[in-house]
Amino acid sequence: MADEINVQYQGKLRCKATLQKNGQSVQTDVDLEHGGQGDYLSPVEMTVAALGTCAMSMVAVVAERNGVDVSKLQATAGFNMASAPHRRIGSVQLTIHLPGDVPEAVRPKLEMAAKACPVKNSLNPDIVVDLKLVYG
């Protein structure tokens, strides 16, 4: 059976999602524009965060397999909404910051790993993902 996530409405435009296998949970809040309190990530922000963490995790897996220290790996992600034909994520700007001493021979592997992220591959192809790896 697939992993199961239980989602409960908490009131005040908030939800709590709990991973059944270990009890870990996250809360979401509707954004301020739509009446939320802004205390937690919105579902859209959570989607962008999932993309960032997934791509960065895939880079880390390949980097570690190639003996590259990525202990200071960081990423920044931003997004723009589209309104036509309906409201949705229109584009995501994702930059993964890596150490400058990553060997040239390993860099293409890291870029391929980031692009192969399962979250990215699950997004609607109409969403423009501007993915950059920056070294140094």
Side-chain angles (χ1 to χ4, degrees):
M1 180 175 175
D3 288 341
E4 191 170 300
I5 298 171
N6 181 300
V7 181
Q8 295 179 321
Y9 182 65
Q10 303 287 295
K12 298 183 182 181
L13 304 177
R14 294 177 173 172
C15 294
K16 180 178 181 181
T18 305
L19 185 59
Q20 291 304 107
K21 69 181 178 185
N22 64 12
Q24 294 245 345
S25 65
V26 295
Q27 289 185 284
T28 63
D29 192 356
V30 173
D31 60 31
L32 294 171
E33 177 183 350
H34 291 98
Q37 297 176 25
D39 292 334
Y40 306 108
L41 294 174
S42 73
V44 168
E45 293 163 339
M46 187 79 72
T47 301
V48 174
L51 174 61
T53 58
C54 183
M56 191 165 61
S57 296
M58 298 303 294
V59 166
V61 166
V62 173
E64 289 182 3
R65 285 182 186 159
N66 284 272
V68 176
D69 177 17
V70 288
S71 59
K72 296 187 180 184
L73 188 63
Q74 293 185 30
T76 55
F79 65 96
N80 297 356
M81 297 297 288
S83 57
H86 51 272
R87 187 164 166 78
R88 62 177 180 80
I89 299 170
S91 64
V92 177
Q93 305 78 43
L94 176 60
T95 303
I96 301 174
H97 302 272
L98 294 117
D101 62 353
V102 173
E104 289 291 332
V106 177
R107 292 180 183 195
K109 295 177 187 179
L110 301 181
E111 291 171 21
M112 285 177 36
K115 291 177 182 174
C117 150
V119 172
K120 181 181 180 299
N121 292 331
S122 299
L123 295 175
N124 185 312
D126 292 342
I127 299 172
V128 176
V129 177
D130 180 17
L131 174 62
K132 293 179 183 148
L133 275 66
V134 175
Y135 300 89

mmCIF file of all heavy atoms in Angstrom, residues 44-99:
data_model
loop_
_atom_site.group_PDB
_atom_site.id
_atom_site.type_symbol
_atom_site.label_atom_id
_atom_site.label_comp_id
_atom_site.label_asym_id
_atom_site.label_seq_id
_atom_site.Cartn_x
_atom_site.Cartn_y
_atom_site.Cartn_z
ATOM 1 N N VAL A 44 0.176 26.486 -1.734
ATOM 2 C CA VAL A 44 1.015 26.855 -2.872
ATOM 3 C C VAL A 44 2.470 26.995 -2.424
ATOM 4 O O VAL A 44 3.390 26.484 -3.068
ATOM 5 C CB VAL A 44 0.506 28.148 -3.547
ATOM 6 C CG1 VAL A 44 1.522 28.692 -4.535
ATOM 7 C CG2 VAL A 44 -0.827 27.892 -4.234
ATOM 8 N N GLU A 45 2.709 27.681 -1.319
ATOM 9 C CA GLU A 45 4.071 27.820 -0.800
ATOM 10 C C GLU A 45 4.658 26.458 -0.442
ATOM 11 O O GLU A 45 5.851 26.218 -0.652
ATOM 12 C CB GLU A 45 4.083 28.743 0.415
ATOM 13 C CG GLU A 45 3.747 30.182 0.077
ATOM 14 C CD GLU A 45 3.345 31.029 1.276
ATOM 15 O OE1 GLU A 45 2.934 30.470 2.316
ATOM 16 O OE2 GLU A 45 3.436 32.259 1.157
ATOM 17 N N MET A 46 3.829 25.572 0.074
ATOM 18 C CA MET A 46 4.278 24.218 0.411
ATOM 19 C C MET A 46 4.703 23.466 -0.860
ATOM 20 O O MET A 46 5.691 22.728 -0.851
ATOM 21 C CB MET A 46 3.162 23.456 1.124
ATOM 22 C CG MET A 46 3.574 22.115 1.655
ATOM 23 S SD MET A 46 4.489 22.205 3.178
ATOM 24 C CE MET A 46 3.199 22.650 4.301
ATOM 25 N N THR A 47 3.981 23.684 -1.957
ATOM 26 C CA THR A 47 4.338 23.055 -3.232
ATOM 27 C C THR A 47 5.705 23.545 -3.700
ATOM 28 O O THR A 47 6.555 22.742 -4.116
ATOM 29 C CB THR A 47 3.263 23.360 -4.296
ATOM 30 O OG1 THR A 47 2.005 22.864 -3.833
ATOM 31 C CG2 THR A 47 3.613 22.733 -5.632
ATOM 32 N N VAL A 48 5.931 24.848 -3.621
ATOM 33 C CA VAL A 48 7.225 25.413 -4.026
ATOM 34 C C VAL A 48 8.331 24.918 -3.088
ATOM 35 O O VAL A 48 9.429 24.568 -3.540
ATOM 36 C CB VAL A 48 7.152 26.949 -4.078
ATOM 37 C CG1 VAL A 48 8.520 27.561 -4.354
ATOM 38 C CG2 VAL A 48 6.136 27.395 -5.133
ATOM 39 N N ALA A 49 8.039 24.858 -1.801
ATOM 40 C CA ALA A 49 9.017 24.329 -0.842
ATOM 41 C C ALA A 49 9.323 22.863 -1.132
ATOM 42 O O ALA A 49 10.478 22.427 -1.036
ATOM 43 C CB ALA A 49 8.508 24.498 0.588
ATOM 44 N N ALA A 50 8.306 22.092 -1.500
ATOM 45 C CA ALA A 50 8.519 20.683 -1.842
ATOM 46 C C ALA A 50 9.419 20.550 -3.058
ATOM 47 O O ALA A 50 10.313 19.694 -3.094
ATOM 48 C CB ALA A 50 7.182 19.988 -2.089
ATOM 49 N N LEU A 51 9.222 21.405 -4.050
ATOM 50 C CA LEU A 51 10.093 21.388 -5.223
ATOM 51 C C LEU A 51 11.531 21.700 -4.820
ATOM 52 O O LEU A 51 12.469 21.004 -5.221
ATOM 53 C CB LEU A 51 9.596 22.385 -6.269
ATOM 54 C CG LEU A 51 10.499 22.575 -7.485
ATOM 55 C CD1 LEU A 51 10.678 21.281 -8.253
ATOM 56 C CD2 LEU A 51 9.941 23.673 -8.372
ATOM 57 N N GLY A 52 11.721 22.745 -4.019
ATOM 58 C CA GLY A 52 13.061 23.132 -3.589
ATOM 59 C C GLY A 52 13.754 22.053 -2.788
ATOM 60 O O GLY A 52 14.927 21.736 -3.032
ATOM 61 N N THR A 53 13.051 21.480 -1.833
ATOM 62 C CA THR A 53 13.676 20.456 -1.000
ATOM 63 C C THR A 53 13.934 19.172 -1.778
ATOM 64 O O THR A 53 14.936 18.493 -1.547
ATOM 65 C CB THR A 53 12.837 20.155 0.263
ATOM 66 O OG1 THR A 53 11.527 19.734 -0.122
ATOM 67 C CG2 THR A 53 12.742 21.384 1.161
ATOM 68 N N CYS A 54 13.049 18.854 -2.710
ATOM 69 C CA CYS A 54 13.240 17.646 -3.519
ATOM 70 C C CYS A 54 14.452 17.790 -4.428
ATOM 71 O O CYS A 54 15.322 16.917 -4.461
ATOM 72 C CB CYS A 54 11.984 17.365 -4.339
ATOM 73 S SG CYS A 54 12.076 15.855 -5.326
ATOM 74 N N ALA A 55 14.518 18.898 -5.160
ATOM 75 C CA ALA A 55 15.655 19.106 -6.069
ATOM 76 C C ALA A 55 16.971 19.145 -5.292
ATOM 77 O O ALA A 55 17.968 18.540 -5.706
ATOM 78 C CB ALA A 55 15.455 20.393 -6.867
ATOM 79 N N MET A 56 16.966 19.836 -4.161
ATOM 80 C CA MET A 56 18.178 19.933 -3.363
ATOM 81 C C MET A 56 18.565 18.558 -2.799
ATOM 82 O O MET A 56 19.749 18.207 -2.770
ATOM 83 C CB MET A 56 17.989 20.940 -2.224
ATOM 84 C CG MET A 56 19.284 21.285 -1.533
ATOM 85 S SD MET A 56 19.208 22.755 -0.485
ATOM 86 C CE MET A 56 17.982 22.299 0.707
ATOM 87 N N SER A 57 17.605 17.778 -2.391
ATOM 88 C CA SER A 57 17.887 16.433 -1.875
ATOM 89 C C SER A 57 18.475 15.534 -2.952
ATOM 90 O O SER A 57 19.404 14.759 -2.687
ATOM 91 C CB SER A 57 16.611 15.806 -1.310
ATOM 92 O OG SER A 57 16.141 16.527 -0.201
ATOM 93 N N MET A 58 17.948 15.634 -4.173
ATOM 94 C CA MET A 58 18.484 14.829 -5.267
ATOM 95 C C MET A 58 19.934 15.230 -5.569
ATOM 96 O O MET A 58 20.789 14.381 -5.804
ATOM 97 C CB MET A 58 17.611 14.975 -6.523
ATOM 98 C CG MET A 58 16.178 14.477 -6.342
ATOM 99 S SD MET A 58 16.056 12.758 -5.808
ATOM 100 C CE MET A 58 16.718 11.931 -7.232
ATOM 101 N N VAL A 59 20.214 16.535 -5.536
ATOM 102 C CA VAL A 59 21.584 17.021 -5.724
ATOM 103 C C VAL A 59 22.483 16.465 -4.624
ATOM 104 O O VAL A 59 23.596 16.003 -4.884
ATOM 105 C CB VAL A 59 21.621 18.565 -5.749
ATOM 106 C CG1 VAL A 59 23.042 19.091 -5.600
ATOM 107 C CG2 VAL A 59 20.989 19.089 -7.035
ATOM 108 N N ALA A 60 22.008 16.493 -3.391
ATOM 109 C CA ALA A 60 22.804 16.007 -2.258
ATOM 110 C C ALA A 60 23.118 14.519 -2.392
ATOM 111 O O ALA A 60 24.246 14.095 -2.100
ATOM 112 C CB ALA A 60 22.080 16.285 -0.943
ATOM 113 N N VAL A 61 22.153 13.734 -2.840
ATOM 114 C CA VAL A 61 22.377 12.295 -3.009
ATOM 115 C C VAL A 61 23.513 12.053 -3.997
ATOM 116 O O VAL A 61 24.458 11.300 -3.736
ATOM 117 C CB VAL A 61 21.081 11.584 -3.482
ATOM 118 C CG1 VAL A 61 21.374 10.182 -3.993
ATOM 119 C CG2 VAL A 61 20.049 11.540 -2.363
ATOM 120 N N VAL A 62 23.442 12.724 -5.145
ATOM 121 C CA VAL A 62 24.464 12.525 -6.177
ATOM 122 C C VAL A 62 25.811 13.103 -5.727
ATOM 123 O O VAL A 62 26.868 12.501 -5.957
ATOM 124 C CB VAL A 62 24.000 13.131 -7.520
ATOM 125 C CG1 VAL A 62 25.116 13.098 -8.556
ATOM 126 C CG2 VAL A 62 22.776 12.368 -8.031
ATOM 127 N N ALA A 63 25.780 14.258 -5.069
ATOM 128 C CA ALA A 63 27.029 14.861 -4.585
ATOM 129 C C ALA A 63 27.726 13.931 -3.601
ATOM 130 O O ALA A 63 28.937 13.697 -3.711
ATOM 131 C CB ALA A 63 26.736 16.212 -3.926
ATOM 132 N N GLU A 64 26.986 13.403 -2.650
ATOM 133 C CA GLU A 64 27.591 12.524 -1.649
ATOM 134 C C GLU A 64 28.134 11.246 -2.283
ATOM 135 O O GLU A 64 29.182 10.754 -1.884
ATOM 136 C CB GLU A 64 26.608 12.248 -0.525
ATOM 137 C CG GLU A 64 26.384 13.486 0.337
ATOM 138 C CD GLU A 64 25.456 13.274 1.518
ATOM 139 O OE1 GLU A 64 24.994 12.140 1.743
ATOM 140 O OE2 GLU A 64 25.182 14.272 2.209
ATOM 141 N N ARG A 65 27.441 10.721 -3.291
ATOM 142 C CA ARG A 65 27.943 9.535 -4.001
ATOM 143 C C ARG A 65 29.255 9.818 -4.712
ATOM 144 O O ARG A 65 30.020 8.910 -4.999
ATOM 145 C CB ARG A 65 26.911 9.053 -5.029
ATOM 146 C CG ARG A 65 25.746 8.340 -4.434
ATOM 147 C CD ARG A 65 24.814 7.855 -5.514
ATOM 148 N NE ARG A 65 23.613 7.297 -4.931
ATOM 149 C CZ ARG A 65 22.465 7.158 -5.575
ATOM 150 N NH1 ARG A 65 22.358 7.528 -6.837
ATOM 151 N NH2 ARG A 65 21.417 6.650 -4.957
ATOM 152 N N ASN A 66 29.470 11.086 -5.033
ATOM 153 C CA ASN A 66 30.685 11.492 -5.747
ATOM 154 C C ASN A 66 31.707 12.139 -4.827
ATOM 155 O O ASN A 66 32.652 12.778 -5.288
ATOM 156 C CB ASN A 66 30.326 12.432 -6.891
ATOM 157 C CG ASN A 66 29.722 11.702 -8.061
ATOM 158 O OD1 ASN A 66 30.436 11.230 -8.929
ATOM 159 N ND2 ASN A 66 28.405 11.572 -8.076
ATOM 160 N N GLY A 67 31.536 11.983 -3.511
ATOM 161 C CA GLY A 67 32.499 12.474 -2.548
ATOM 162 C C GLY A 67 32.548 13.981 -2.387
ATOM 163 O O GLY A 67 33.565 14.516 -1.956
ATOM 164 N N VAL A 68 31.468 14.671 -2.741
ATOM 165 C CA VAL A 68 31.419 16.126 -2.644
ATOM 166 C C VAL A 68 30.721 16.521 -1.344
ATOM 167 O O VAL A 68 29.607 16.062 -1.067
ATOM 168 C CB VAL A 68 30.674 16.739 -3.849
ATOM 169 C CG1 VAL A 68 30.528 18.245 -3.693
ATOM 170 C CG2 VAL A 68 31.395 16.390 -5.149
ATOM 171 N N ASP A 69 31.368 17.363 -0.558
ATOM 172 C CA ASP A 69 30.788 17.847 0.701
ATOM 173 C C ASP A 69 29.735 18.900 0.388
ATOM 174 O O ASP A 69 30.040 19.953 -0.171
ATOM 175 C CB ASP A 69 31.879 18.453 1.585
ATOM 176 C CG ASP A 69 31.328 19.032 2.884
ATOM 177 O OD1 ASP A 69 30.189 18.709 3.266
ATOM 178 O OD2 ASP A 69 32.052 19.831 3.516
ATOM 179 N N VAL A 70 28.497 18.607 0.734
ATOM 180 C CA VAL A 70 27.405 19.562 0.510
ATOM 181 C C VAL A 70 26.740 19.942 1.830
ATOM 182 O O VAL A 70 25.560 20.273 1.871
ATOM 183 C CB VAL A 70 26.363 19.013 -0.495
ATOM 184 C CG1 VAL A 70 26.920 18.993 -1.900
ATOM 185 C CG2 VAL A 70 25.858 17.641 -0.072
ATOM 186 N N SER A 71 27.508 19.929 2.896
ATOM 187 C CA SER A 71 26.955 20.225 4.216
ATOM 188 C C SER A 71 26.413 21.651 4.314
ATOM 189 O O SER A 71 25.588 21.942 5.178
ATOM 190 C CB SER A 71 27.993 19.969 5.303
ATOM 191 O OG SER A 71 29.147 20.764 5.090
ATOM 192 N N LYS A 72 26.856 22.538 3.419
ATOM 193 C CA LYS A 72 26.365 23.923 3.447
ATOM 194 C C LYS A 72 25.462 24.231 2.256
ATOM 195 O O LYS A 72 25.252 25.385 1.912
ATOM 196 C CB LYS A 72 27.554 24.884 3.493
ATOM 197 C CG LYS A 72 28.345 24.705 4.775
ATOM 198 C CD LYS A 72 29.412 25.728 4.935
ATOM 199 C CE LYS A 72 30.112 25.403 6.260
ATOM 200 N NZ LYS A 72 31.103 26.316 6.641
ATOM 201 N N LEU A 73 24.919 23.205 1.676
ATOM 202 C CA LEU A 73 24.012 23.338 0.540
ATOM 203 C C LEU A 73 22.799 24.170 0.952
ATOM 204 O O LEU A 73 22.238 23.978 2.029
ATOM 205 C CB LEU A 73 23.570 21.945 0.099
ATOM 206 C CG LEU A 73 22.771 21.776 -1.169
ATOM 207 C CD1 LEU A 73 23.569 22.228 -2.371
ATOM 208 C CD2 LEU A 73 22.398 20.317 -1.326
ATOM 209 N N GLN A 74 22.398 25.105 0.098
ATOM 210 C CA GLN A 74 21.226 25.945 0.346
ATOM 211 C C GLN A 74 20.481 26.163 -0.957
ATOM 212 O O GLN A 74 21.063 26.055 -2.033
ATOM 213 C CB GLN A 74 21.632 27.308 0.902
ATOM 214 C CG GLN A 74 22.239 27.278 2.270
ATOM 215 C CD GLN A 74 22.505 28.691 2.779
ATOM 216 O OE1 GLN A 74 21.810 29.638 2.434
ATOM 217 N NE2 GLN A 74 23.531 28.829 3.595
ATOM 218 N N ALA A 75 19.223 26.522 -0.838
ATOM 219 C CA ALA A 75 18.437 26.855 -2.020
ATOM 220 C C ALA A 75 17.506 28.009 -1.690
ATOM 221 O O ALA A 75 17.118 28.203 -0.531
ATOM 222 C CB ALA A 75 17.627 25.649 -2.492
ATOM 223 N N THR A 76 17.175 28.765 -2.715
ATOM 224 C CA THR A 76 16.158 29.805 -2.592
ATOM 225 C C THR A 76 15.121 29.541 -3.677
ATOM 226 O O THR A 76 15.467 29.136 -4.793
ATOM 227 C CB THR A 76 16.745 31.218 -2.752
ATOM 228 O OG1 THR A 76 17.451 31.291 -3.992
ATOM 229 C CG2 THR A 76 17.693 31.557 -1.622
ATOM 230 N N ALA A 77 13.876 29.750 -3.327
ATOM 231 C CA ALA A 77 12.800 29.509 -4.284
ATOM 232 C C ALA A 77 11.791 30.643 -4.214
ATOM 233 O O ALA A 77 11.416 31.085 -3.123
ATOM 234 C CB ALA A 77 12.113 28.172 -3.981
ATOM 235 N N GLY A 78 11.379 31.103 -5.361
ATOM 236 C CA GLY A 78 10.330 32.102 -5.460
ATOM 237 C C GLY A 78 9.326 31.637 -6.495
ATOM 238 O O GLY A 78 9.591 30.702 -7.257
ATOM 239 N N PHE A 79 8.186 32.272 -6.522
ATOM 240 C CA PHE A 79 7.180 31.853 -7.493
ATOM 241 C C PHE A 79 6.289 33.026 -7.869
ATOM 242 O O PHE A 79 6.180 34.006 -7.145
ATOM 243 C CB PHE A 79 6.336 30.698 -6.945
ATOM 244 C CG PHE A 79 5.491 31.053 -5.752
ATOM 245 C CD1 PHE A 79 4.155 31.409 -5.903
ATOM 246 C CD2 PHE A 79 6.022 31.041 -4.471
ATOM 247 C CE1 PHE A 79 3.381 31.743 -4.806
ATOM 248 C CE2 PHE A 79 5.254 31.372 -3.365
ATOM 249 C CZ PHE A 79 3.923 31.719 -3.536
ATOM 250 N N ASN A 80 5.666 32.877 -9.024
ATOM 251 C CA ASN A 80 4.669 33.831 -9.500
ATOM 252 C C ASN A 80 3.403 33.056 -9.807
ATOM 253 O O ASN A 80 3.466 31.924 -10.305
ATOM 254 C CB ASN A 80 5.136 34.537 -10.777
ATOM 255 C CG ASN A 80 6.380 35.371 -10.551
ATOM 256 O OD1 ASN A 80 6.863 35.480 -9.434
ATOM 257 N ND2 ASN A 80 6.915 35.946 -11.607
ATOM 258 N N MET A 81 2.289 33.676 -9.538
ATOM 259 C CA MET A 81 1.003 33.049 -9.827
ATOM 260 C C MET A 81 0.534 33.464 -11.221
ATOM 261 O O MET A 81 0.849 34.546 -11.697
ATOM 262 C CB MET A 81 -0.038 33.444 -8.782
ATOM 263 C CG MET A 81 0.292 32.992 -7.377
ATOM 264 S SD MET A 81 0.373 31.198 -7.196
ATOM 265 C CE MET A 81 -1.363 30.767 -7.325
ATOM 266 N N ALA A 82 -0.211 32.598 -11.862
ATOM 267 C CA ALA A 82 -0.884 32.898 -13.123
ATOM 268 C C ALA A 82 -2.385 32.938 -12.830
ATOM 269 O O ALA A 82 -2.856 32.282 -11.894
ATOM 270 C CB ALA A 82 -0.579 31.833 -14.161
ATOM 271 N N SER A 83 -3.108 33.683 -13.609
ATOM 272 C CA SER A 83 -4.551 33.789 -13.343
ATOM 273 C C SER A 83 -5.405 33.254 -14.481
ATOM 274 O O SER A 83 -6.621 33.135 -14.333
ATOM 275 C CB SER A 83 -4.930 35.251 -13.060
ATOM 276 O OG SER A 83 -4.556 36.066 -14.151
ATOM 277 N N ALA A 84 -4.803 32.942 -15.610
ATOM 278 C CA ALA A 84 -5.597 32.453 -16.729
ATOM 279 C C ALA A 84 -5.012 31.129 -17.215
ATOM 280 O O ALA A 84 -3.799 30.988 -17.278
ATOM 281 C CB ALA A 84 -5.595 33.482 -17.858
ATOM 282 N N PRO A 85 -5.765 30.158 -17.554
ATOM 283 C CA PRO A 85 -7.228 30.186 -17.550
ATOM 284 C C PRO A 85 -7.837 30.063 -16.155
ATOM 285 O O PRO A 85 -9.020 30.266 -15.963
ATOM 286 C CB PRO A 85 -7.598 28.979 -18.409
ATOM 287 C CG PRO A 85 -6.465 28.016 -18.205
ATOM 288 C CD PRO A 85 -5.240 28.875 -18.018
ATOM 289 N N HIS A 86 -7.016 29.730 -15.160
ATOM 290 C CA HIS A 86 -7.475 29.691 -13.767
ATOM 291 C C HIS A 86 -6.261 29.973 -12.879
ATOM 292 O O HIS A 86 -5.123 29.896 -13.308
ATOM 293 C CB HIS A 86 -8.125 28.341 -13.432
ATOM 294 C CG HIS A 86 -7.275 27.170 -13.812
ATOM 295 N ND1 HIS A 86 -7.314 26.590 -15.066
ATOM 296 C CD2 HIS A 86 -6.327 26.484 -13.126
ATOM 297 C CE1 HIS A 86 -6.443 25.601 -15.120
ATOM 298 N NE2 HIS A 86 -5.823 25.513 -13.968
ATOM 299 N N ARG A 87 -6.516 30.290 -11.636
ATOM 300 C CA ARG A 87 -5.428 30.627 -10.713
ATOM 301 C C ARG A 87 -4.587 29.380 -10.439
ATOM 302 O O ARG A 87 -5.103 28.328 -10.062
ATOM 303 C CB ARG A 87 -6.021 31.175 -9.409
ATOM 304 C CG ARG A 87 -4.977 31.705 -8.454
ATOM 305 C CD ARG A 87 -5.638 32.572 -7.381
ATOM 306 N NE ARG A 87 -4.768 32.848 -6.277
ATOM 307 C CZ ARG A 87 -3.794 33.759 -6.289
ATOM 308 N NH1 ARG A 87 -3.585 34.477 -7.356
ATOM 309 N NH2 ARG A 87 -3.034 33.942 -5.226
ATOM 310 N N ARG A 88 -3.279 29.532 -10.630
ATOM 311 C CA ARG A 88 -2.346 28.415 -10.442
ATOM 312 C C ARG A 88 -0.936 28.979 -10.336
ATOM 313 O O ARG A 88 -0.715 30.156 -10.582
ATOM 314 C CB ARG A 88 -2.423 27.431 -11.603
ATOM 315 C CG ARG A 88 -2.023 28.063 -12.927
ATOM 316 C CD ARG A 88 -2.030 27.049 -14.064
ATOM 317 N NE ARG A 88 -1.647 27.649 -15.311
ATOM 318 C CZ ARG A 88 -0.409 27.909 -15.697
ATOM 319 N NH1 ARG A 88 0.604 27.613 -14.899
ATOM 320 N NH2 ARG A 88 -0.142 28.459 -16.855
ATOM 321 N N ILE A 89 0.015 28.132 -9.996
ATOM 322 C CA ILE A 89 1.417 28.532 -10.036
ATOM 323 C C ILE A 89 1.783 28.693 -11.505
ATOM 324 O O ILE A 89 1.590 27.776 -12.308
ATOM 325 C CB ILE A 89 2.321 27.472 -9.371
ATOM 326 C CG1 ILE A 89 1.950 27.282 -7.901
ATOM 327 C CG2 ILE A 89 3.793 27.858 -9.514
ATOM 328 C CD1 ILE A 89 2.630 26.090 -7.242
ATOM 329 N N GLY A 90 2.317 29.861 -11.852
ATOM 330 C CA GLY A 90 2.714 30.102 -13.233
ATOM 331 C C GLY A 90 4.177 29.800 -13.469
ATOM 332 O O GLY A 90 4.550 29.222 -14.489
ATOM 333 N N SER A 91 5.014 30.197 -12.511
ATOM 334 C CA SER A 91 6.448 29.953 -12.656
ATOM 335 C C SER A 91 7.104 29.858 -11.287
ATOM 336 O O SER A 91 6.611 30.408 -10.303
ATOM 337 C CB SER A 91 7.109 31.067 -13.476
ATOM 338 O OG SER A 91 7.012 32.303 -12.805
ATOM 339 N N VAL A 92 8.218 29.144 -11.278
ATOM 340 C CA VAL A 92 9.027 28.988 -10.064
ATOM 341 C C VAL A 92 10.467 29.305 -10.433
ATOM 342 O O VAL A 92 10.961 28.861 -11.478
ATOM 343 C CB VAL A 92 8.938 27.552 -9.500
ATOM 344 C CG1 VAL A 92 9.846 27.394 -8.284
ATOM 345 C CG2 VAL A 92 7.510 27.181 -9.159
ATOM 346 N N GLN A 93 11.102 30.083 -9.585
ATOM 347 C CA GLN A 93 12.517 30.378 -9.739
ATOM 348 C C GLN A 93 13.237 29.670 -8.594
ATOM 349 O O GLN A 93 12.994 29.983 -7.433
ATOM 350 C CB GLN A 93 12.785 31.887 -9.666
ATOM 351 C CG GLN A 93 11.991 32.725 -10.660
ATOM 352 C CD GLN A 93 10.550 32.957 -10.241
ATOM 353 O OE1 GLN A 93 10.266 33.237 -9.080
ATOM 354 N NE2 GLN A 93 9.641 32.823 -11.186
ATOM 355 N N LEU A 94 14.064 28.702 -8.932
ATOM 356 C CA LEU A 94 14.753 27.894 -7.930
ATOM 357 C C LEU A 94 16.254 27.963 -8.176
ATOM 358 O O LEU A 94 16.723 27.637 -9.265
ATOM 359 C CB LEU A 94 14.269 26.437 -7.997
ATOM 360 C CG LEU A 94 14.950 25.431 -7.080
ATOM 361 C CD1 LEU A 94 14.793 25.815 -5.625
ATOM 362 C CD2 LEU A 94 14.392 24.032 -7.332
ATOM 363 N N THR A 95 16.983 28.416 -7.161
ATOM 364 C CA THR A 95 18.439 28.493 -7.247
ATOM 365 C C THR A 95 19.033 27.657 -6.129
ATOM 366 O O THR A 95 18.710 27.860 -4.955
ATOM 367 C CB THR A 95 18.931 29.955 -7.117
ATOM 368 O OG1 THR A 95 18.298 30.745 -8.129
ATOM 369 C CG2 THR A 95 20.441 30.030 -7.277
ATOM 370 N N ILE A 96 19.878 26.715 -6.510
ATOM 371 C CA ILE A 96 20.573 25.870 -5.547
ATOM 372 C C ILE A 96 22.018 26.359 -5.481
ATOM 373 O O ILE A 96 22.698 26.459 -6.505
ATOM 374 C CB ILE A 96 20.499 24.384 -5.938
ATOM 375 C CG1 ILE A 96 19.024 23.944 -6.013
ATOM 376 C CG2 ILE A 96 21.285 23.522 -4.956
ATOM 377 C CD1 ILE A 96 18.817 22.532 -6.518
ATOM 378 N N HIS A 97 22.455 26.696 -4.280
ATOM 379 C CA HIS A 97 23.798 27.228 -4.043
ATOM 380 C C HIS A 97 24.709 26.111 -3.548
ATOM 381 O O HIS A 97 24.420 25.490 -2.520
ATOM 382 C CB HIS A 97 23.744 28.359 -3.016
ATOM 383 C CG HIS A 97 22.837 29.476 -3.428
ATOM 384 N ND1 HIS A 97 23.263 30.536 -4.188
ATOM 385 C CD2 HIS A 97 21.509 29.680 -3.214
ATOM 386 C CE1 HIS A 97 22.244 31.352 -4.406
ATOM 387 N NE2 HIS A 97 21.169 30.853 -3.820
ATOM 388 N N LEU A 98 25.788 25.871 -4.292
ATOM 389 C CA LEU A 98 26.739 24.812 -3.982
ATOM 390 C C LEU A 98 28.121 25.403 -3.749
ATOM 391 O O LEU A 98 28.406 26.517 -4.186
ATOM 392 C CB LEU A 98 26.820 23.815 -5.145
ATOM 393 C CG LEU A 98 25.549 23.028 -5.385
ATOM 394 C CD1 LEU A 98 24.973 23.337 -6.736
ATOM 395 C CD2 LEU A 98 25.830 21.565 -5.250
ATOM 396 N N PRO A 99 29.002 24.643 -3.082
ATOM 397 C CA PRO A 99 30.376 25.118 -2.878
ATOM 398 C C PRO A 99 31.082 25.333 -4.220
ATOM 399 O O PRO A 99 30.799 24.638 -5.196
ATOM 400 C CB PRO A 99 31.050 23.991 -2.094
ATOM 401 C CG PRO A 99 29.954 23.113 -1.601
ATOM 402 C CD PRO A 99 28.771 23.327 -2.490
#
